[in-house]
Amino acid sequence: MRVSGRLAAQVLEYAGTLVKPGITTDEIDKAVHQMIIDNGAYPSPLGYGGFPKSVCTSVNECICHGIPDSRALEDGDTINIDVTVYLNGYHGDTSATFFCGDVDDEARNLVKVTKDCLHKAISVCAPGMEYKKIGKTIQDHADRYNYGVVRQFVGHGIGRVFHADPVVLHYRNNDHGRMVLNQTFTIEPMLTIGSINPVMWDDNWTIVTEDGSLSAQFEHTILITRDGAEILTQC
């Protein structure tokens, strides 16, 4: 899991360096695909449930699961790039939201708060901790800025299987269940400036905000350790 997580982080970091006005998300997809293959891994999204590309690219109001296409990124766009690699029988899953060119302060603040939500949530993880503490931590921080927390998409157990238990909710909830030592799962909050209601496009993948408002997301795969949590998806 450490090896697959590290590769996912390296691929995501590389993908982020490609973000600039004029590049298409198709071009990012091809570059990500090649780097994953060159490292002896497989891009987990490719063919998963019929997903046609090797990475998810979610621009501006796209909450998640954006399919790379021929649209060129424009100055002022934000883009979440979600990378999952399958290496030596294990999946590593991570995402980050990047700035394309000169991005306004409203977008910059949303992205910062979303990233902070993720790291605050990771900081409360430890053996025996209730999963619901993650959702409370994220929503408490998002509420300070009047941002919405998308409810329909969750963090998840990950390892030999791409998506498994536990289901990790990013909003306040009363679900039972506690973290256990050596468990691996993702935390991946999605915040919005406006509506938290998702709308799916006819491609059956792309999810956008109902009102077209901006969304941002960050994700790490973590390991529950005796001391708390180790982030597996960092370089």
Side-chain angles (χ1 to χ4, degrees), residues 6 28 31 49 94 108 116 127 129 164 185 189 197 206-207 209 212 228-229:
R6 191 177 306 115
I28 294 173
T94 185
R108 287 182 181 276
D116 289 346
M129 180 62 68
F185 57 85
N197 296 325
T206 307
I207 304 292
T209 55

Side-chain angles (χ1 to χ4, degrees), residues 122-196:
I122 293 170
S123 73
V124 304
C125 293
M129 180 62 68
E130 292 179 305
Y131 296 116
K132 67 182 181 183
K133 187 72 180 288
I134 292 173
K136 182 180 187 306
T137 301
I138 290 169
Q139 185 137 37
D140 282 353
H141 192 60
D143 281 354
R144 294 193 187 105
Y145 299 88
N146 292 315
Y147 292 146
V149 180
V150 175
R151 293 175 166 237
Q152 281 84 347
F153 301 95
V154 299
H156 53 88
I158 187 169
R160 292 184 182 274
V161 177
F162 191 173
H163 295 96
D165 286 335
V167 171
V168 179
L169 303 179
H170 301 124
Y171 56 93
R172 284 188 207 94
N173 64 87
N174 291 311
D175 282 10
H176 299 292
R178 296 177 183 270
M179 304 169 202
V180 297
L181 186 65
N182 296 329
Q183 181 180 31
T184 52
F185 57 85
T186 71
I187 304 174
E188 44 189 296
M190 293 156 238
L191 269 58
T192 65
I193 285 176
S195 173
I196 62 171

